């Protein structure tokens, strides 16, 4: 008997040190729900990745903007002529009447110089570029898509952390209820043992009470394990080591006062336009629309400005100091490109994008119907949790009173052990139901927030 009591006391002390309601060790971490949310957002790898995605989208937009500015290049070229080309003058049959035949040698005249060096500065700039203009809208939507991805990640992460925190609170509350029930059973068992020693009760009652205490031990161990796993899940969501000692500074009782105040605002039909998945599809449709416009611009002509300034050196002797051999040249002009035929790639590309756009519109409509169904389901769950909470609260008050009466009746000899055990079981079940109702209510709230993109 003393071993069972010692086990219960040791388990209670261990849980109090690791959880709430006891002395906090120096290396443990105490967190409220708000602190857990802030820590999760600061340390989330997925949100960090989304931030980098935003930075990349902004850099890509700058790349597109850079295409509207002049492109300046400096290049140089050196050629050494191994065999000079020849130029022939006069008629091929050596007609004497042709003056060029008599003035120039019949085997031709070599042209050019052995050493040829050119240094040039080139500048080009688009003047009329419809496809570049259309690409700016694509880059703008890409930035908005990256921002929406970050927002969606924040909403999902906050929802998961809230649910995990509530799950840890529920596991702690379940452990506390079972521990309190075990302590009460041990106390009753000790009273029965004392009565048995004095011959006031039969041995059967003592054996039955011992069995009740021992039957509760596996449930207590399981509840302790569930509380530990629930905290580990919360730590993983916060990108922390699962072995970190965590203490929750709140309890499910702190949320009971919010049930009636939140019920009215959440039971009404909400607005799903801010749902992350729905907004992602909307941005996808906008991106396709901009892509279609950019694809159509492939049919339009483009006009650009080109400017070249060059210095050329040509001589049979490599003497760069000879200024007479350096010749400057420059030119400026317009370059017009009119697309006439591309094998139908633009045409079929437009058709493919229109099909993709239609498919996205169908997906959006299907998603909207699913979200409306989920919203209705979560609000039903919210109403059920509210009703469950009020019923469980009344049941708990009645069970407490019933246990008090059963305890007095048993001590005075007017009640039976079966009545005492039944009242103890009824109180334990009502307390667990109450904790579950609060958990279900808050989880439904968080699910609605996530659906509506809050």
């Amino acid at each position: 008997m003393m071993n069972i009591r010692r086990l219960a006391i040791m388990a209670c002390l261990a849980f109090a040190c690791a959880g709430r309601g006891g002395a906090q060790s120096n290396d443990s971490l105490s967190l409220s729900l708000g602190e857990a949310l802030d820590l999760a957002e600061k340390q989330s790898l997925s949100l960090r990745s989304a931030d980098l995605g935003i930075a990349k989208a902004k850099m890509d937009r700058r790349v597109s903007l850079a295409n509207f500015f002049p492109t300046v290049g400096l290049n140089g070229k050196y050629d050494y002529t191994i065999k000079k080309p020849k130029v022939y003058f006069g008629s091929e049959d050596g007609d004497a009447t042709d003056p060029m035949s008599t003035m120039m040698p019949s085997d031709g005249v070599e042209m050019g110089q052995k050493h040829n060096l050119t240094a040039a500065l080139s500048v080009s700039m688009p003047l009329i570029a419809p496809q570049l203009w259309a690409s700016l809208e694509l880059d703008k939507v890409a930035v908005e898509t990256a921002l929406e991805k970050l927002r969606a990640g924040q909403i999902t992460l906050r929802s998961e952390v809230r649910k995990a925190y509530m799950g840890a609170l529920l596991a702690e509350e379940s452990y506390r209820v079972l521990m309190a029930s075990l302590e009460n059973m041990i106390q009753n068992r000790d009273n029965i043992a004392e009565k048995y020693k004095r011959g006031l009760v039969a041995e059967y009652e003592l054996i039955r009470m011992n069995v009740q205490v021992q039957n509760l031990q596996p449930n207590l161990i399981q509840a302790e394990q569930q509380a530990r796993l629930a905290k580990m899940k919360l730590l993983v969501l916060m990108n922390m080591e699962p072995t970190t000692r965590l203490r929750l500074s709140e309890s499910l009782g702190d949320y009971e006062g919010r049930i009636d105040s939140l019920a009215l605002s959440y039971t009404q039909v909400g607005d799903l336009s801010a749902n992350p998945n729905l907004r992602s599809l909307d941005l996808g449709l906008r991106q396709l629309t901009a892509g279609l416009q950019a694809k159509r611009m492939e049919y339009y002509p483009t006009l650009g400005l080109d400017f070249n300034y060059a210095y050329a050196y040509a001589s049979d002797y490599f003497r760069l100091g000879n200024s007479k051999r350096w010749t400057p040249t420059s030119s400026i002009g317009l370059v017009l490109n009119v697309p006439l035929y591309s094998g139908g790639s633009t045409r079929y590309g437009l058709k493919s994008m229109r099909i993709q756009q239609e498919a996205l519109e169908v997906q959006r409509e299907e998603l909207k119907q699913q979200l409306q169904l989920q919203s209705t389901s979560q609000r039903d769950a919210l109403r059920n949790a509210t009703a469950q909470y009020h019923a469980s609260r009344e049941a708990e008050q009645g069970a407490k009173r019933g246990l008090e009466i059963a305890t007095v009746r048993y001590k005075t000899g007017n009640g039976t052990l079966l009545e005492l055990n039944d009242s103890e079981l009824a109180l334990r079940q009502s307390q667990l139901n109450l904790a579950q109702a609060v958990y279900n209510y808050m989880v439904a709230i968080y699910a609605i927030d996530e659906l509506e993109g809050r």
Side-chain angles (χ1 to χ4, degrees):
M1 298 177 187
M2 294 303 296
N3 290 336
I4 297 177
R5 167 173 281 185
R6 190 177 298 111
L7 176 63
I9 294 175
M10 290 176 63
C12 183
L13 290 175
F15 182 75
C17 291
R20 63 180 302 278
Q24 181 182 352
S25 61
N26 294 331
D27 58 347
S28 64
L29 178 65
S30 177
L31 289 178
S32 65
L33 177 56
E35 292 168 343
L37 291 171
D38 292 339
L39 191 59
E41 287 191 352
K42 289 179 182 178
Q43 301 189 161
S44 172
L45 296 179
S46 60
L47 295 187
R48 194 178 309 169
S49 175
D51 279 328
L52 293 175
I54 294 173
K56 180 183 180 301
K58 290 181 178 179
M59 289 300 106
D60 290 343
R61 191 181 185 196
R62 290 189 178 184
V63 171
S64 297
L65 286 172
N67 293 327
F68 290 90
F69 290 88
T71 301
V72 182
L74 184 64
N75 55 76
K77 183 181 179 181
Y78 170 77
D79 287 330
Y80 178 80
T81 305
I82 299 175
K83 184 66 177 177
K84 296 180 181 180
K86 287 186 176 183
V87 178
Y88 297 90
F89 298 92
S91 62
E92 187 176 355
D93 56 1
D95 185 1
T97 61
D98 187 350
M100 298 302 296
S101 298
T102 59
M103 295 175 59
M104 298 296 177
S106 59
D107 60 346
V109 179
E110 290 185 341
M111 299 292 291
Q113 305 293 324
K114 287 185 176 295
H115 300 282
N116 297 276
L117 182 63
T118 304
L121 174 70
S122 61
V123 181
S124 62
M125 178 180 178
L127 298 178
I128 300 176
Q131 194 170 9
L132 284 180
W133 301 337
S135 67
L136 290 180
E137 181 64 22
L138 271 173
D139 294 329
K140 178 182 177 182
V141 178
V143 174
E144 292 182 18
T145 300
L147 288 169
E148 180 59 28
K149 184 177 180 181
L150 174 62
R151 191 185 77 94
Q154 290 174 329
I155 290 172
T156 301
L157 178 63
R158 292 180 70 87
S159 179
E160 291 300 319
V161 171
R162 285 171 170 175
K163 293 175 184 178
Y165 196 93
M166 288 298 113
L169 290 182
L170 176 63
E172 280 194 353
E173 184 65 18
S174 299
Y175 185 91
R176 186 195 65 78
V177 170
L178 290 175
M179 179 59 70
S181 180
L182 178 63
E183 291 175 346
N184 192 42
M185 283 188 175
I186 291 176
Q187 183 178 2
N188 291 336
R189 192 274 318 275
D190 291 345
N191 292 334
I192 293 174
E194 187 65 28
K195 290 182 179 181
Y196 172 72
K197 289 180 182 179
R198 291 183 293 175
L200 299 177
V201 297
E203 184 181 4
Y204 170 77
E205 292 192 5
L206 179 60
I207 295 174
R208 182 177 178 84
M209 203 62 197
N210 279 328
V211 171
Q212 291 284 352
V213 171
Q214 292 168 356
N215 284 340
L216 195 57
Q217 291 294 329
N219 296 334
L220 191 65
I221 295 173
Q222 183 179 7
E224 183 182 8
Q225 183 182 11
Q226 289 176 348
R228 184 169 61 254
L229 292 176
K231 288 183 179 180
M232 291 175 65
K233 179 181 179 181
L234 179 60
L235 288 167
V236 169
L237 287 173
M238 295 188 296
N239 193 27
M240 298 179 63
E241 288 294 330
T243 55
T244 304
R245 295 176 63 87
L246 179 62
R247 175 179 177 268
L248 307 181
S249 60
E250 299 180 7
S251 67
L252 283 179
D254 298 334
Y255 292 86
E256 291 187 27
R258 308 181 187 182
I259 290 182
D260 292 326
S261 61
L262 292 175
L264 292 177
S265 59
Y266 277 86
T267 51
Q268 304 298 324
V269 177
D271 183 14
L272 296 174
S273 60
N275 178 269
N277 295 328
L278 203 59
R279 288 189 55 162
S280 296
L281 282 179
D282 289 337
L283 287 170
L285 286 170
R286 280 184 55 192
Q287 199 165 22
L288 271 176
T289 302
L292 279 167
Q293 184 64 19
K295 195 69 175 175
R296 290 191 192 99
M297 293 301 176
E298 292 182 6
Y299 288 119
Y300 288 68
T302 59
L303 182 66
L305 176 67
D306 272 354
F307 171 76
N308 287 281
Y309 184 85
Y311 256 94
Y313 173 85
S315 176
D316 285 336
Y317 305 98
F318 197 72
R319 298 170 183 172
L320 299 180
N322 188 354
S323 60
K324 293 182 179 181
R325 289 291 178 171
W326 284 98
T327 305
T329 61
S330 61
S331 66
I332 187 170
L334 298 174
V335 179
L336 177 65
N337 181 22
V338 181
L340 297 177
Y341 180 69
S342 60
S345 63
T346 302
R347 177 187 176 189
Y348 293 118
L350 286 171
K351 287 185 176 181
S352 175
M353 294 178 72
R354 289 192 188 99
I355 293 173
Q356 188 178 359
Q357 186 179 35
E358 186 177 353
L360 272 182
E361 289 173 352
V362 173
Q363 292 178 19
R364 186 188 185 282
E365 186 62 28
E366 182 183 11
L367 176 62
K368 186 176 180 181
Q369 293 176 359
Q370 293 176 354
L371 292 176
Q372 289 173 345
L373 179 61
Q374 293 178 25
S375 178
T376 302
S377 175
Q378 291 298 335
R379 281 177 165 78
D380 288 341
L382 191 63
R383 285 189 287 268
N384 293 337
T386 305
Q388 182 186 0
Y389 166 76
H390 291 294
S392 299
R393 170 59 69 189
E394 293 180 3
E396 183 198 29
Q397 295 174 354
K400 285 181 178 179
R401 180 57 180 164
L403 179 60
E404 293 174 359
I405 295 173
T407 302
V408 173
R409 281 173 55 82
Y410 185 78
K411 288 180 178 180
T412 58
N414 295 323
T416 64
L417 181 62
L418 181 60
E419 291 178 354
L420 183 62
N421 289 337
D422 286 345
S423 60
E424 170 65 34
L425 178 62
L427 177 60
R428 184 199 320 162
Q429 191 61 51
S430 63
Q431 290 175 334
L432 293 175
N433 290 341
L434 180 62
Q436 186 68 49
V438 176
Y439 169 81
N440 291 343
Y441 184 89
M442 297 309 301
V443 167
I445 289 288
Y446 300 148
I448 293 174
D449 285 343
E450 184 176 7
L451 279 174
E452 296 180 357
R454 300 186 184 178

